[in-house]
């Protein structure tokens, strides 16, 4: 949102600099992302008047000009000029010595240069008379820029051109539609400096007392999407260019001036936040406005000259015969204001934010008006804005508005009331604010706080009436945040409080997703949150049973995701594209698939919804340090992470299924079985899929169905005292077939060893020299721990013999070394 500093000061007395205002607004949560001094490039340029023009003695194409550059001064400045259109008595743009000319028309790249005192063909020149091109305010480079005859000599050129303004580029968050206008920003600034807010004048002079029903009627067919529609008529309008002051303010915020009627509606939108639209009254058939939804397949040509194909859910503004505007988005060519317009109908309405956003997205048409409507404007500000615009149009065009206003308001939207406890504010913020201080802060942003403390209550409680221009304030905690930002985050003491809460949930009550999230965050993973809606071409790579959206906002959001993998790969691409090659990411979210057979456990028959955990590794496993080097993550890393997460939940009945996958999505794929149910996979993303998402490095992923992890099936471990007898370590190495899985060997070792064996650790895998083909050597470290007495060698040997015999029978394993 571009905010003009000159415009802002119409509503608040602020003597400090734009930089000070930017700092205050940022501290209030309205981050100023950029400060633009519009006339900065014209520093050192003034309005001058040519007193005399003489031919240069040594050059045919040059003239020597005597120029007056100071008001009420007889002194003249000599400037040599080569323009063919220079004349005595002209008001011109003069660059003084030391000024930087923005563009050099004699340089191929137009690089700027600094003016100095020079001699041109032997004649001294003390500045430059500039063209539009050289000043960067136009493209005419054939001659000097001649200013209006009433231009004031000595005035800075920036002031004369209306560029003596500073624009604050504010990043307004979606929950603050009240700050998408100058008055809203002025209100915030006023609250911070305890200033007085000055509201614009809405009086229109003398208005006609004729009944508006003689000239116009309004019917709202779709009251759900249009709870309020207000209108006013203005006659005897003379359409002409807007005055210079209005044009300068509109251009400062990026709006192109059109004419006095349209500019007045844009001005009020940027002033009060209420979008308005002006129709040519003569083009409204039946002198009636009808608010309805579009017919299926209906077509409509908007002001930009493009024909739009409409859907039945789109709200339209119509007359008795035809559509004349797409509600809240854009008007139509068939009722636009032109030079022939003499009568105007002004529209000021409140439309459903959801309806406008849906229409804007479907048409791919985003306007200043739609951006405000879809965030939620003030439903009770329509009349005020209508009268303000009417007064401006009457002033600028000589029009005569009717005093009476049409206001159809079938679904009244009232102010919300929220209870706010003073003790709660101080408890959350760690402050000692008095009730009077809190009341003052809220009052500064038009929130009325009424003390409703009862005689039996020791703590003050306010009943806060929320103005309808603040749809973001819904709960007590929202008001606490308002107090915090108005009091000043920097004024809140930074202190640490330590407490034990015996009422908190036990670990056993935590969900599997909570435990997984906590472990992954503690081990350096970053959680991502992605949209559940993706494009159909990506979704089809992961499933053929897609859940399609009937009325998608866009093609990129037409299908519910069947897997977390596309979201994770998009995040990897985003990080890679911004220079982050090493990414440890996870996401906990829901996936959706269509099912041909109904399942009574499904919320919606025929559709399956699952909560899944997605984990993603790419790049280096560890941060690059002198001792870690550049080891890249591999399949063993992702497998170890999955094991650790599932063990932490805790789950003991876990099995990894190793198989050759024919899936085009992953290679080195390993299935995950939980409590006897297939619950996910881990693997390396295939090169084909990496190319599809434009990812350069290898990516390892895991996707686990947390819906299978039921609370009653989770195991809770029993702990026993450590044995007081010494443990015994033995290492065993086996020659086994290359296709045999180590995990199956480990399971068999535990099964055949008896109760003495407590831990089996794989510490070596070898293939190659001194071994036959198609075999490998695996070595385990076995720890035996007795419970009742010290173990003897014979007892250890007997246990090892059982292990060796069992592995030989089941896998053909041969003992290599004991």
């Amino acid at each position: 949102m571009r905010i003009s500093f000159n415009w802002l000061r119409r509503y608040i007395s602020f003597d400090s600099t734009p930089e000070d205002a930017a700092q205050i607004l940022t501290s209030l949560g309205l981050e100023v992302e950029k400060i633009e001094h519009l006339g900065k490039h014209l520093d050192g340029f003034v309005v001058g008047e040519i007193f005399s023009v003489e031919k240069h003695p040594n050059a045919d194409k040059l003239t020597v000009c005597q120029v007056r550059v100071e008001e009420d001064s007889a002194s003249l400045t000599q400037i040599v000029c080569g323009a063919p259109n220079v004349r005595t008595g002209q008001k011109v743009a003069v660059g003084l010595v030391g000024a930087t000319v923005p563009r050099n028309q004699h340089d191929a790249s137009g690089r700027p240069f600094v003016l100095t005192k020079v001699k041109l063909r032997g004649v001294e020149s003390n500045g430059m008379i500039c063209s539009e091109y050289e000043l960067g305010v136009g493209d005419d480079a054939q001659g000097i820029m001649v200013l209006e005859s009433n231009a004031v000599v000595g005035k800075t050129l920036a002031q004369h051109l209306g560029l003596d303004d500073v624009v604050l580029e504010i990043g307004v968050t979606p929950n603050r539609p009240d700050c998408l206008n100058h008055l809203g920003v002025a209100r915030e600034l006023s609250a911070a400096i305890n200033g007085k807010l000055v509201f614009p004048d809405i009086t229109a002079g003398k208005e006609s007392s004729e009944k508006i029903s003689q000239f116009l009627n309004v019917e709202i067919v779709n009251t759900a999407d249009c709870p309020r529609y207000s209108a006013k008529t203005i006659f005897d309008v003379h359409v002409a260019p807007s005055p210079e002051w209005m044009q300068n303010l509109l251009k400062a915020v990026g709006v192109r001036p059109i004419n006095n009627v349209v500019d007045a509606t844009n001005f009020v939108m940027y002033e009060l936040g209420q979008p308005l639209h002006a129709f040519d009254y003569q083009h409204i058939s039946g002198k009636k406005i009808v608010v309805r939804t579009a017919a299926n397949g209906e077509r409509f040509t908007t002001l930009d000259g493009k024909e739009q194909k409409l859907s039945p859910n789109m709200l339209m503004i119509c007359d008795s015969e035809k559509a004349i505007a797409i509600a809240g988005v854009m008007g139509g060519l068939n009722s636009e204001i032109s030079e022939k317009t003499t009568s105007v109908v002004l529209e000021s309405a409140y439309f459903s934010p959801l309806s406008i956003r849906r229409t804007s997205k479907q048409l791919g048409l985003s306007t200043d008006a739609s951006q405000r409507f879809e965030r939620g404007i003030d439903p009770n500000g329509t009349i005020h804005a209508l009268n303000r615009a009417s007064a401006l149009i009457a002033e600028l065009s000589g029009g005569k508005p009717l005093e009476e206003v049409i206001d159809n308001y079938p679904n009244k939207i009232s102010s919300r009331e929220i209870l706010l406890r003073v003790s709660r504010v101080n408890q959350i913020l760690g402050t000692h604010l008095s009730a009077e201080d809190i009341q003052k802060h809220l009052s500064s942003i038009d929130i009325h706080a009424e003390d409703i403390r009862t005689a039996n209550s020791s703590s003050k409680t306010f009943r806060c009436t929320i103005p309808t221009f603040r749809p973001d304030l819904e709960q007590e905690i929202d008001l606490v945040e308002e107090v915090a930002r108005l009091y000043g985050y920097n004024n809140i003491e930074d202190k640490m409080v330590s407490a034990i809460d015996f009422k908190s949930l036990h670990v056993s009550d935590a969900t599997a997703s909570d435990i997984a999230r906590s472990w992954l965050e503690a081990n350096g993973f970053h959680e991502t949150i992605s949209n559940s809606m993706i494009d159909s071409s990506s979704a089809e790579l992961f499933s053929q049973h897609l859940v399609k959206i009937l009325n998608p906002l866009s093609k990129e959001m037409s299908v519910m995701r069947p897997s977390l993998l596309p979201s994770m790969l998009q995040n990897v691409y985003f990080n890679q594209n911004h220079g982050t090659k090493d990414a440890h990411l996870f996401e906990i979210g829901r996936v959706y698939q269509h099912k041909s057979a109904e399942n009574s456990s499904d919320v919606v028959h025929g559709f399956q919804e699952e909560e899944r955990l997605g984990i993603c590794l790419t790049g280096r496993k560890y941060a690059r340090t002198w001792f870690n080097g550049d080891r890249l993550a591999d399949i063993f890393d992702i497998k170890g992470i999955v094991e650790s997460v599932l063990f932490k939940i805790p789950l003991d009945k876990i099995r990894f299924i190793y198989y050759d996958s024919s899936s085009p999505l992953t290679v080195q794929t390993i299935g995950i079985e939980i409590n006897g149910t297939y619950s996910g996979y881990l693997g390396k993303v295939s090169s084909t899929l990496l190319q599809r998402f434009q990812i350069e490095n290898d990516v390892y992923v895991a996707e686990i169905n947390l819906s299978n992890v039921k609370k009653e099936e989770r195991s809770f471990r029993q702990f026993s005292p450590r044995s007081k007898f010494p443990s015994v370590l033995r290492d065993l190495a086996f020659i086994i077939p290359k296709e045999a899985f180590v995990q199956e060997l480990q399971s068999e070792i535990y099964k055949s060893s008896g109760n003495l064996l407590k831990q089996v650790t794989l510490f070596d895998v070898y293939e190659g020299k001194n071994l036959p083909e198609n075999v490998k050597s695996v070595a385990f470290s076995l720890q035996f721990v007795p419970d009742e007495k010290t173990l003897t060698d014979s007892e250890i040997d007997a246990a090892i013999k059982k292990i060796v015999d069992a592995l030989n029978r089941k896998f053909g394993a041969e003992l290599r070394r004991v």
Side-chain angles (χ1 to χ4, degrees):
M1 172 68 187
R2 290 173 66 86
I3 293 292
S4 158
F5 193 63
N6 286 348
W7 197 340
L8 194 65
R9 289 193 293 188
R10 285 172 159 255
Y11 317 113
I12 182 175
S13 178
F14 190 78
D15 298 327
S16 300
T17 65
E19 286 73 18
D20 292 333
Q23 185 175 4
I24 294 171
L25 291 172
T26 300
S27 70
L28 291 170
L30 299 175
E31 182 182 0
V32 177
E33 300 171 341
K34 180 182 177 183
I35 301 177
E36 181 183 352
H37 292 260
L38 298 182
K40 186 68 176 176
H41 65 293
L42 297 178
D43 285 353
F45 292 85
V46 298
V47 175
E49 181 179 15
I50 300 177
F51 188 77
S52 67
V53 178
E54 297 180 358
K55 191 174 181 303
H56 193 289
N58 303 317
D60 293 336
K61 294 185 178 181
L62 297 179
T63 57
V64 180
C65 304
Q66 301 298 326
V67 184
R68 186 165 65 92
V69 295
E70 294 180 17
E71 189 178 11
D72 301 328
S73 174
S75 62
L76 300 175
T77 300
Q78 180 171 289
I79 298 175
V80 176
C81 181
N85 64 328
V86 62
R87 301 286 186 274
T88 300
Q90 289 175 332
K91 300 286 182 67
V92 292
V94 178
L96 304 177
V97 172
T100 299
V101 179
R103 292 194 289 195
N104 185 353
Q105 68 184 63
H106 302 295
D107 181 81
S109 57
R111 287 175 294 186
F113 63 96
V114 178
L115 291 174
T116 59
K117 184 185 293 187
V118 296
K119 282 191 175 183
L120 297 175
R121 297 288 184 95
V123 177
E124 186 177 280
S125 182
N126 299 285
M128 181 177 180
I129 305 174
C130 302
S131 66
E132 289 182 359
Y133 176 85
E134 289 165 329
L135 293 169
V137 296
D139 297 321
D140 187 0
Q142 301 303 313
I144 59 171
M145 183 172 75
V146 180
L147 307 178
E148 299 83 357
S149 59
N150 61 352
V152 179
V153 174
K155 190 175 185 179
T156 66
L157 187 62
Q159 287 178 316
H160 176 77
L161 297 177
L163 297 175
D164 57 329
D165 199 353
V166 180
V167 172
L168 307 179
E169 190 79 44
I170 300 179
V172 180
T173 53
N175 67 320
R176 293 301 305 273
D178 59 300
C179 290
L180 290 174
N181 59 84
H182 286 76
L183 190 64
V185 174
R187 182 186 294 110
E188 293 287 306
L189 196 57
S190 173
I193 65 173
N194 295 319
K196 183 179 180 181
L197 202 61
V198 179
F199 291 90
D201 183 16
I202 63 171
T203 57
K206 189 174 181 180
E207 295 181 317
S208 172
S209 59
E210 293 182 271
K211 293 291 184 182
I212 195 171
S213 57
Q214 301 176 33
F215 305 97
L216 187 69
N217 288 297
V218 172
E219 178 187 358
I220 305 177
V221 178
N222 185 348
T223 58
D225 290 339
C226 180
R228 188 176 194 182
Y229 193 97
S230 308
K232 193 162 187 172
T233 55
I234 308 172
F235 297 101
D236 299 332
V237 170
H238 175 65
V239 177
S242 299
E244 187 178 342
W245 66 266
M246 179 175 281
Q247 292 195 35
N248 289 339
L249 291 178
L250 290 174
K251 285 189 284 188
V253 297
V255 176
R256 179 176 62 88
I258 299 174
N259 57 55
N260 49 7
V261 175
V262 176
D263 291 352
T265 61
N266 285 331
F267 182 87
V268 172
M269 179 176 66
Y270 274 87
E271 179 182 59
L272 303 178
Q274 169 70 53
L276 302 134
H277 189 72
F279 300 100
D280 189 325
Y281 178 72
Q282 299 302 323
H283 294 154
I284 297 179
S285 301
K287 309 312 175 190
K288 184 177 183 180
I289 297 287
V290 180
V291 185
R292 60 165 175 83
T293 49
N296 191 21
E298 184 177 352
R299 294 182 178 275
F300 179 72
T301 302
T302 46
L303 280 170
D304 56 5
K306 296 180 181 179
E307 186 179 67
Q308 308 289 344
K309 184 179 180 180
L310 308 177
S311 300
N313 59 359
M314 295 180 181
L315 194 66
M316 301 297 294
I317 309 300
C318 311
D319 58 21
S320 60
E321 297 178 357
K322 61 186 180 301
I324 54 177
I326 301 175
V329 180
M330 188 178 286
L333 274 179
N334 57 8
S335 60
E336 72 170 331
I337 302 298
S338 67
E339 294 179 355
K340 298 179 182 179
T341 298
T342 58
S343 303
V344 170
V345 172
L346 273 183
E347 167 194 280
S348 179
Y350 176 80
F351 301 118
S352 161
L354 180 61
S355 170
I356 302 304
R357 178 170 177 78
R358 181 174 58 228
T359 299
S360 175
K361 291 298 181 184
Q362 287 180 350
L363 295 177
L365 193 60
S366 180
T367 61
D368 288 338
S370 69
Q371 290 169 13
R372 286 161 175 79
F373 277 123
E374 66 190 31
R375 284 163 175 79
I377 63 166
D378 182 6
N380 295 315
T382 60
I383 298 297
H384 182 78
L386 196 62
N387 288 331
R388 170 62 169 161
S390 174
L392 277 174
I393 293 173
E395 176 188 342
L396 303 180
S397 70
K400 297 176 182 178
L402 295 187
E403 182 179 356
E404 189 179 8
V405 173
I406 291 179
D407 186 25
N408 279 15
Y409 200 179
N411 297 330
K412 187 171 179 59
I413 300 173
S414 302
S415 298
R416 184 184 293 113
E417 291 186 344
I418 301 173
L419 297 182
L420 176 66
R421 295 162 290 173
V422 172
S423 59
R424 185 62 173 160
V425 173
N426 288 316
Q427 179 188 14
I428 292 176
L429 302 183
T431 55
H432 301 282
L433 294 173
S434 67
E436 291 71 23
D437 289 336
I438 293 172
Q439 193 174 34
K440 181 180 177 182
H441 286 311
L442 295 176
S443 175
S444 68
I445 53 173
D446 292 346
I447 297 175
H448 176 67
E450 178 189 358
D451 185 1
I452 59 169
R453 179 178 55 171
T454 62
N456 297 326
S457 174
S458 59
S459 176
K460 278 196 174 183
T461 299
F462 289 119
R463 180 190 290 115
C464 299
T465 304
I466 311 302
T468 49
F469 60 75
R470 290 298 303 272
D472 58 309
L473 303 181
E474 299 177 340
Q475 305 174 52
E476 183 182 40
I477 192 64
D478 296 329
L479 295 181
V480 174
E481 183 180 358
E482 292 300 292
V483 173
R485 68 185 189 87
L486 293 170
Y487 175 64
Y489 294 116
N490 292 337
N491 296 323
I492 298 175
E493 184 180 356
D494 186 10
K495 57 185 177 181
M496 182 178 292
V497 177
S498 179
I500 299 175
D501 184 4
F502 292 100
K503 296 181 292 184
S504 297
L505 293 176
H506 295 288
V507 175
S508 60
D509 294 322
T511 64
S513 58
D514 291 335
I515 296 172
R517 177 182 288 108
S518 177
W519 188 93
L520 289 165
E521 288 176 346
N523 284 272
F525 280 76
H526 298 281
E527 183 175 9
T528 62
I529 300 175
S530 306
N531 201 313
S532 296
M533 295 177 285
I534 62 175
D535 63 284
S536 59
S537 60
S538 296
E540 287 169 355
L541 296 172
F542 301 89
S543 175
Q544 297 302 313
H545 307 290
L546 302 180
V547 178
K548 298 181 179 179
I549 299 170
L550 292 179
N551 296 304
L553 294 176
S554 65
K555 292 182 180 179
E556 290 73 25
M557 295 164 51
S558 59
V559 174
M560 302 300 290
R561 63 182 176 189
S563 166
L564 295 180
L565 187 51
S567 302
M568 290 192 289
L569 293 179
Q570 286 173 352
N571 290 326
V572 169
Y573 168 74
F574 180 85
N575 279 274
Q576 168 196 287
N577 214 30
H578 287 75
T580 303
K581 305 279 186 185
D582 308 323
H584 296 186
L585 309 173
F586 78 95
E587 179 169 353
I588 297 173
R590 296 188 176 275
V591 300
Y592 309 83
Q593 292 196 64
H594 178 74
K595 294 175 63 179
S596 55
E598 292 188 353
N599 187 331
S600 59
S601 64
D602 294 332
V603 176
V604 179
H605 293 311
F607 296 92
Q608 186 176 41
E609 178 180 345
E610 296 176 350
E611 182 183 40
R612 291 190 186 177
L613 164 65
I615 305 174
C616 178
L617 275 179
T618 184
R620 287 188 288 260
K621 174 63 173 68
Y622 303 105
R624 189 176 187 181
T625 61
W626 64 270
F627 56 86
N628 277 333
D630 287 330
R631 188 177 83 75
L632 299 178
D634 56 29
I635 191 69
F636 300 106
D637 293 317
I638 192 72
K639 178 176 177 287
I641 289 163
V642 170
E643 282 183 300
S644 298
V645 170
L646 296 180
F647 182 79
K648 189 70 178 177
I649 283 176
L651 294 167
D652 286 335
K653 296 179 182 179
I654 308 164
R655 190 167 76 93
F656 290 99
I657 308 168
Y658 303 87
Y659 54 88
D660 293 330
S661 171
S662 59
S663 168
L665 305 179
T666 58
V667 295
Q668 300 179 353
T669 308
I670 301 174
I672 302 169
E673 186 181 274
I674 299 174
N675 296 322
T677 303
Y678 179 82
S679 300
Y681 67 92
L682 62 91
K684 177 182 178 182
V685 178
S686 69
S687 58
T688 303
L689 198 56
L690 292 179
Q691 291 175 4
R692 169 73 171 73
F693 284 87
Q694 303 178 50
I695 298 173
E696 301 171 356
N697 300 336
D698 289 339
V699 179
Y700 297 88
V701 296
E703 189 169 10
I704 304 166
N705 182 4
L706 293 180
S707 299
N708 288 346
V709 183
K710 299 177 182 177
K711 180 181 175 182
E712 58 270 18
E713 294 176 345
R714 286 161 50 192
S715 59
F716 300 102
R717 300 181 180 88
Q718 301 294 322
F719 295 90
S720 58
R722 190 175 183 86
S723 175
K724 58 184 178 181
F725 301 102
S727 62
V728 177
L729 291 176
R730 289 290 179 89
D731 294 341
L732 296 178
F734 294 94
I735 303 289
I736 61 173
K738 186 179 290 186
E739 65 273 10
F741 295 118
V742 171
Q743 186 188 42
E744 295 181 359
L745 264 75
Q746 284 181 307
S747 299
E748 189 62 29
I749 291 173
Y750 276 117
K751 188 187 299 183
S752 60
S753 62
N755 296 329
L756 295 177
L757 183 62
K758 302 300 182 185
Q759 187 170 344
V760 178
T761 305
L762 176 73
F763 68 85
D764 183 59
V765 178
Y766 175 74
E767 298 178 33
K769 190 176 180 181
N770 299 328
L771 286 179
E773 293 185 4
N774 300 322
V775 299
K776 61 185 175 183
S777 171
V778 293
F780 300 96
S781 176
L782 282 61
Q783 183 182 29
F784 295 90
V785 181
D787 294 325
E788 299 176 352
K789 65 183 184 69
T790 302
L791 294 174
T792 64
D793 287 342
S794 60
E795 290 173 322
I796 300 297
D797 292 342
I800 288 178
K801 186 176 185 307
K802 288 181 182 179
I803 294 171
V804 173
D805 291 344
L807 295 185
N808 181 264
R809 285 193 307 273
K810 190 164 185 178
F811 303 101
E814 297 180 9
L815 186 64
R816 184 179 179 193
R817 184 179 71 237
V818 180

